[in-house]
Amino acid sequence: PLRFYMDQHFPGPVSRALTRRGVDVLTAQEADRCGLQDTEQLAFATAQGRVMVTFDPDFHALHQAGVEHAGVAWCPERKYGIGELIQALLLLHGVLDGEAMRNHLEYL
């Protein structure tokens, strides 16, 4: 199953709700990695085999530049409420695996 790495700006209630539902979630805060460059965040997520979950469009550029990654799940920050974000990530977790997400940018 997919494992997620949540960007520091992603809402805490989403991470906590996913964890309560058995999803492996690590936040930038838990990893003590807040404030690091996007390239460092993506490299960390990749080394951990985790899909980067973010609102930050800079990850598009990294993906387009061919930077290897374990997957990026992205949506605009104001597109969904908390409940919708939880449902979108649960769906992603339920239908894709690590191989399908490798070097894939998924728009939520």
Side-chain angles (χ1 to χ4, degrees):
L2 293 181
R3 299 169 34 184
F4 294 132
Y5 177 59
M6 309 303 240
D7 192 5
Q8 67 189 35
H9 302 293
F10 222 79
V14 174
S15 302
R16 290 188 294 277
L18 293 172
T19 299
R20 281 194 304 274
R21 288 166 175 82
V23 177
D24 185 336
V25 175
L26 177 66
T27 67
Q29 291 85 343
E30 291 167 337
D32 196 26
R33 299 188 60 80
C34 293
L36 296 179
Q37 296 292 321
D38 294 339
T39 53
E40 294 175 81
Q41 297 287 24
L42 192 58
F44 175 79
T46 302
Q48 296 285 315
R50 294 180 179 276
V51 172
M52 184 81 212
V53 181
T54 184
F55 297 131
D56 188 341
D58 292 343
F59 288 93
H60 289 214
L62 292 171
H63 173 75
Q64 292 299 325
V67 174
E68 297 279 322
H69 56 82
V72 175
W74 179 87
C75 73
E77 186 168 359
R78 304 210 190 293
K79 182 175 182 181
Y80 298 120
I82 299 296
E84 294 165 312
L85 287 169
I86 293 165
Q87 290 305 312
L89 289 167
L90 284 172
L91 178 62
L92 181 65
H93 184 266
V95 300
L96 293 179
D97 62 14
E99 187 59 35
M101 280 301 295
R102 183 163 255 325
N103 296 315
H104 175 71
L105 175 65
E106 181 69 24
Y107 295 89
L108 302 176

